[in-house]
Amino acid sequence: MLKQRVITAIFLVLAVLAGVTLLPTPYFAIASLVVVLAIGGWEWARLIGLEAMQQAWAVIFLIVVGTLIYITGVSWYAIATGVVFWVTILGLLTIYRQDSTFYSSRPWLLSLAGFLVLVPAWLALARLQAHDPMLVLYLIFLVAAMDTGAYFVGKAVGVTKLAPELSPGKTREGAKGGLAAALLWALLGASYFGFTGIAWVYFLLLSLLVAALSVAGDLFESLLKREAGQKDSGTILPGHGGILDRIDGLLVALPVFVLGLSVSLVGRGI
């Protein structure tokens, strides 16, 4: 299993690096649409209990609506809506209980969530890559730094559970370690992009906020899998599960990061 995970991870890193840096913007938009809306949408539809034909229609709906928003130039409205929705999700995560029937009695809620999570994330990703591919790589590795730091610190000294109803393995100590790792990466990023003064401070604070919120993506996917009684979102990535298992943190990080950059001089022109 370890060998399989390593091989898959190497392939993913190479594919992401090549796709983000080498693909022209229109082709990257299409490739990322396939990953986020088609494959991610299929996995989401399966987790919420849709049948095969319903899953296909759900994916078609995501692709059509996402494409229409992209080509009509109203992406910002969808991205902002996605950020607002994640604020709502944060509240729902704090009150989640495993024995609750809140979601099972409201199947439409998780269906709506799929649209409000996946479409804004894809739109944000496409816009960010069009603006600066290096910012896409920066964000991906920022979330990875948060995950890696949280994992190793949590394994070493983690005691206090962060969200026992959703993910018993996550600890507050691990989250602090993840933020420390994210801060180190943010310092490197701020230096690489040449930010100084207020822009430097803003970029660091935004990066820390995005890193912290990326945990919500992980926890919300855990909620989906618990409701579905599944361990992984899919099997497309040997040793790693599904696409959603790998991009859950990015689903919240992307719209928040892009919106945060767009309202400042740091990200003028996104």
Side-chain angles (χ1 to χ4, degrees), residues 84-267:
V84 172
F85 184 70
W86 274 112
V87 174
T88 305
I89 288 177
L90 287 174
L92 294 176
L93 291 176
T94 61
I95 61 174
Y96 178 79
R97 296 296 179 269
Q98 294 183 22
D99 57 356
S100 171
T101 60
F102 180 78
Y103 295 99
S104 59
S105 62
R106 299 171 177 83
W108 59 269
L109 185 57
L110 293 180
S111 297
L112 176 64
F115 172 79
L116 294 176
V117 167
L118 296 176
V119 171
W122 171 66
L123 293 170
L125 176 59
R127 291 193 71 94
L128 190 61
Q129 194 271 348
H131 177 72
D132 187 347
M134 297 309 295
L135 279 172
V136 177
L137 295 181
Y138 168 79
L139 181 61
I140 291 173
F141 286 107
L142 176 70
V143 174
M146 179 69 191
D147 289 342
T148 304
Y151 174 79
F152 284 107
V153 173
K155 292 284 285 186
V157 298
V159 175
T160 309
K161 303 299 182 184
L162 180 65
E165 294 288 332
L166 286 166
S167 183
K170 295 188 183 303
T171 63
R172 294 183 181 181
E173 294 81 5
K176 293 175 183 177
L179 285 173
L183 176 59
L184 291 175
W185 179 251
L187 289 169
L188 292 174
S191 175
Y192 173 82
F193 292 112
F195 296 129
T196 58
I198 296 300
W200 182 85
V201 174
Y202 181 86
F203 186 77
L204 290 184
L205 292 177
L206 176 62
S207 296
L208 287 177
L209 174 64
V210 167
L213 291 178
S214 69
V215 178
D218 191 337
L219 293 177
F220 191 64
E221 199 216 352
S222 294
L223 185 155
L224 282 176
K225 291 189 289 189
R226 282 190 177 275
E227 290 292 315
Q230 300 290 329
K231 181 179 180 294
D232 297 314
S233 66
T235 58
I236 194 171
L237 302 174
H240 290 263
I243 288 294
L244 293 179
D245 294 318
R246 296 278 61 84
I247 67 170
D248 48 11
L250 282 170
L251 292 177
V252 57
L254 277 162
V256 174
F257 186 66
V258 170
L259 188 63
L261 288 178
S262 70
V263 298
S264 72
L265 294 178
V266 172

Side-chain angles (χ1 to χ4, degrees), residues 22-132:
L22 299 180
L23 285 179
T25 296
Y27 294 105
F28 178 82
I30 294 172
S32 57
L33 178 147
V34 171
V35 173
V36 178
L37 297 188
I39 302 176
W42 182 271
E43 292 180 356
W44 193 294
R46 186 182 71 87
L47 287 175
I48 64 176
L50 299 185
E51 298 178 356
M53 186 57 67
Q54 293 174 317
Q55 292 177 32
W57 280 112
V59 170
I60 292 172
F61 175 77
L62 285 172
I63 292 174
V64 170
V65 173
T67 302
L68 286 175
I69 293 174
Y70 180 78
I71 64 178
T72 53
V74 293
S75 297
W76 283 121
Y77 296 100
I79 292 171
T81 300
V83 172
V84 172
F85 184 70
W86 274 112
V87 174
T88 305
I89 288 177
L90 287 174
L92 294 176
L93 291 176
T94 61
I95 61 174
Y96 178 79
R97 296 296 179 269
Q98 294 183 22
D99 57 356
S100 171
T101 60
F102 180 78
Y103 295 99
S104 59
S105 62
R106 299 171 177 83
W108 59 269
L109 185 57
L110 293 180
S111 297
L112 176 64
F115 172 79
L116 294 176
V117 167
L118 296 176
V119 171
W122 171 66
L123 293 170
L125 176 59
R127 291 193 71 94
L128 190 61
Q129 194 271 348
H131 177 72
D132 187 347

